[in-house]
Amino acid sequence: MGTMVTIAAAGDVHASEATRARLEQSFAALEERVDLVLLAGDLTTLGEPEQAQVLADSCRGLRVPVCAVLGNHDLHCNRGEEVAAVLRDAGVHMLDRSATTFELAGGEVGIVGTKGFVGGFTGSSLPDFGEPLLRRVYAETSAEADAIRRGLQEIAHCGIRIVLLHYAPTSDTLHGEPEGIWTYLGSERLATPIAEYRPDVVLHGHAHGGSFEGAIGTTPVYNVAVHVTGRDFYVFELEGHDVEVETRT
């Protein structure tokens, strides 16, 4: 692709009635600036459909596509399907172990989206051993990693390829969080298909006290949680395999 695609990304917006005005203003301000909006989970405060409606109202009618994955907050009330349905009704493309493509700026952009899960990193990773409940946790992360692999195979033909997660696939973007909780902030097993298929960029949230930038091999990884970026959206410009990042200051 020889044309620039501009992407606005945010994670952990934690929508509720208390944040309605800010969300409406921040989404409206994107209308003429970007080609695509990506939301990296924790779309709501406690996973209540009424909170999802606040975000849906901000997204409805935007001329640019919006893609999102759920986060742990969105599943807190065990109403994740309802949360996703409210957002789909507003035109948001909800990704759950799935991929989608868009024709943007004269080329095809592919997005693989899934929540990700826990499991830890070298030195403190959960093994596939022991109590059945812990092995179910391991199996859940395996299913998430397999979904990333399948999605990247599906969008292999796209000029720009993006992976959108909630949980972190690398410890690079967890620095600043207590190491004792890294096991619950992501899993290095999510990185295996990323290292193999080398998408152009990976975006995630969840680690509120983490770091902004990391990498898996040659693939840049960004923690776009609003608590880390300090702004409503972070803007990325992608052209082919080059990623330009909005100035941090």
Side-chain angles (χ1 to χ4, degrees), residues 55 60-61 84 92 115 130 151 155 166 214 242:
L55 181 59
R60 185 177 282 106
V92 178
K115 173 175 59 66
I155 65 167
H166 182 60
D242 295 325

Side-chain angles (χ1 to χ4, degrees), residues 96-99 111-116 138-157 161-165 169 188-199 202 216:
D96 181 12
R97 299 181 182 175
S98 58
I111 303 121
V112 177
T114 194
K115 173 175 59 66
Y138 186 94
E140 184 73 10
T141 306
S142 297
E144 294 288 309
D146 289 345
I148 296 170
R149 177 176 287 104
R150 289 194 306 272
L152 286 170
Q153 291 169 347
E154 185 177 333
I155 65 167
H157 64 284
R161 298 167 302 135
I162 301 164
V163 174
L164 179 65
L165 303 168
E188 64 187 358
R189 296 172 56 224
L190 302 172
T192 302
I194 293 168
E196 181 179 358
Y197 290 96
R198 295 183 293 177
V202 177
I216 297 170

Side-chain angles (χ1 to χ4, degrees), residues 5-217:
V5 174
T6 304
I7 296 168
D12 305 82
V13 298
H14 297 301
S16 69
E17 199 60 47
T19 64
R20 177 181 289 275
R22 178 166 183 166
L23 284 171
E24 290 178 349
Q25 291 170 6
S26 63
F27 274 87
L30 294 175
E31 189 73 26
E32 302 302 325
R33 292 187 62 201
V34 304
D35 303 301
L36 175 66
V37 177
L38 300 178
L39 301 175
D42 279 5
L43 312 173
T44 63
T45 303
L46 293 173
E48 297 172 350
E50 296 80 7
Q51 295 169 345
Q53 189 63 58
V54 173
L55 181 59
D57 291 343
S58 299
C59 295
R60 185 177 282 106
L62 283 182
R63 68 167 185 85
V64 298
V66 181
C67 290
V69 298
L70 296 179
N72 57 306
H73 279 242
D74 306 315
L75 300 172
H76 176 71
C77 290
N78 200 27
R79 301 178 73 182
E81 285 297 325
E82 295 175 71
V83 167
V86 168
L87 290 162
R88 286 194 193 97
D89 185 62
V92 178
H93 300 266
M94 297 300 299
L95 299 177
D96 181 12
R97 299 181 182 175
S98 58
T100 191
T101 61
F102 298 98
E103 289 289 338
L104 299 173
E108 197 162 12
V109 177
I111 303 121
V112 177
T114 194
K115 173 175 59 66
F117 203 43
V118 301
F121 302 87
T122 301
S124 63
S125 57
L126 179 71
D128 186 17
F129 180 82
E131 298 178 52
L133 184 58
L134 289 176
R135 296 192 71 190
R136 282 173 55 193
V137 171
Y138 186 94
E140 184 73 10
T141 306
S142 297
E144 294 288 309
D146 289 345
I148 296 170
R149 177 176 287 104
R150 289 194 306 272
L152 286 170
Q153 291 169 347
E154 185 177 333
I155 65 167
H157 64 284
C158 293
I160 291 175
R161 298 167 302 135
I162 301 164
V163 174
L164 179 65
L165 303 168
H166 182 60
Y167 287 85
T170 173
S171 60
D172 287 359
T173 49
L174 300 184
H175 291 279
E177 294 278 11
E179 287 193 37
I181 67 169
W182 284 10
T183 301
Y184 310 106
L185 296 179
S187 172
E188 64 187 358
R189 296 172 56 224
L190 302 172
T192 302
I194 293 168
E196 181 179 358
Y197 290 96
R198 295 183 293 177
D200 297 294
V201 67
V202 177
L203 305 173
H204 76 86
H206 192 46
H208 295 188
S211 301
F212 175 63
E213 187 172 5
I216 297 170

